[in-house]
Amino acid sequence: NAGVTQTPKFQVLKTGQSMTLQCAQDMNHNSMYWYRQDPGMGLRLIYYSASEGTTDKGEVPNGYNVSRLNKREFSLRLESAAPSQTSVYFCASSTQLMNTEAFFGQGTRLTVV
Amino acid sequence: KNEVEQSPQNLTAQEGEFITINCSYSVGISALHWLQQHPGGGIVSLFMLSSGKKKHGRLIATINIQEKHSSLHITASHPRDSAVYICAVRAQGGSEKLVFGKGTKLTVNP
């Protein structure tokens, strides 16, 4: 019953450091997404992947890169972390273009100091 | 103006009360989602609606496409219902983007 698994759950980075957030789903979903959640704001789409081998920018892609490694895995990379990237990050997946139920990971709380 | 507006922002209720959370949106949509986020952060999908009404246990979600409005109702509320409830819409036209409301924080006191 894993669903969508994100790692790590918590991370503290220094400004300029890099890291990769990992996401894997075991539901054979085509579509995967990365969102960030900031206080007082709704979730905002960073990047998404409609199928294996494709990725597209969302609403707030600057400072991030993604890789759809295979159908199961979709990673988010911060090449040079900035304090503005302090946020809670959620990975999500769905069967088809978000017209079906979305499944979310537990979130990664990232602090950049 | 945000494309998705939720009201109220915060709601406190006594156990057993009937709860209504509202969501209004300004764009044509193909689907609307209601999500629940508990303290500790995990997000769970409650409903996905494109028309009419859905019910699951004590939760009922309705949508009025013409009025661009949806409501989430909780009957016989319980302290375990305390969470943030989030409305999200997917615009018509094949967009991948889900637009989220800011959420309604519900606290149910025993």
Side-chain angles (χ1 to χ4, degrees), chain B residues 2-3 9 12 20 35 50 52 57 59 70 76 90 97:
Chain B
N2 292 330
E3 289 178 302
Q9 282 187 298
T12 300
T20 296
L35 309 165
S50 54
L59 301 178
S70 176
R90 181 167 177 267
K97 184 181 173 184

Side-chain angles (χ1 to χ4, degrees), chain B residues 2-24:
Chain B
N2 292 330
E3 289 178 302
V4 181
E5 297 277 356
Q6 287 186 235
S7 63
Q9 282 187 298
N10 293 282
L11 182 56
T12 300
Q14 289 300 121
E15 183 172 358
E17 286 184 1
F18 181 82
I19 304 293
T20 296
I21 298 170
N22 296 299
C23 175
S24 297

Side-chain angles (χ1 to χ4, degrees), chain A residues 33 37 48 97-99 101, chain B residues 33 37 41 45 48 90 96:
Chain A
Y33 309 81
Q37 185 179 39
Y48 65 93
L97 299 180
M98 281 292 186
N99 260 353
E101 185 180 355
Chain B
H33 296 253
Q37 185 174 26
S45 177
M48 195 278 293
R90 181 167 177 267
E96 285 285 346

Side-chain angles (χ1 to χ4, degrees), chain B residues 14-69:
Chain B
Q14 289 300 121
E15 183 172 358
E17 286 184 1
F18 181 82
I19 304 293
T20 296
I21 298 170
N22 296 299
C23 175
S24 297
Y25 52 91
S26 58
V27 297
I29 67 168
S30 59
L32 181 144
H33 296 253
W34 280 104
L35 309 165
Q36 181 191 57
Q37 185 174 26
H38 276 287
I43 297 174
V44 176
S45 177
L46 297 175
F47 296 103
M48 195 278 293
L49 291 164
S50 54
S51 65
K53 174 180 174 178
K54 286 190 176 180
K55 184 176 190 290
H56 185 259
R58 295 180 295 106
L59 301 178
I60 303 165
T62 64
I63 189 167
N64 185 318
I65 296 294
Q66 288 73 30
E67 295 186 3
K68 293 187 168 61
H69 181 267

Side-chain angles (χ1 to χ4, degrees), chain A residues 34-48:
Chain A
W34 277 105
Y35 294 94
R36 60 178 288 172
Q37 185 179 39
D38 300 295
M41 305 184 73
L43 285 101
R44 293 181 292 169
L45 182 65
I46 305 170
Y47 270 94
Y48 65 93

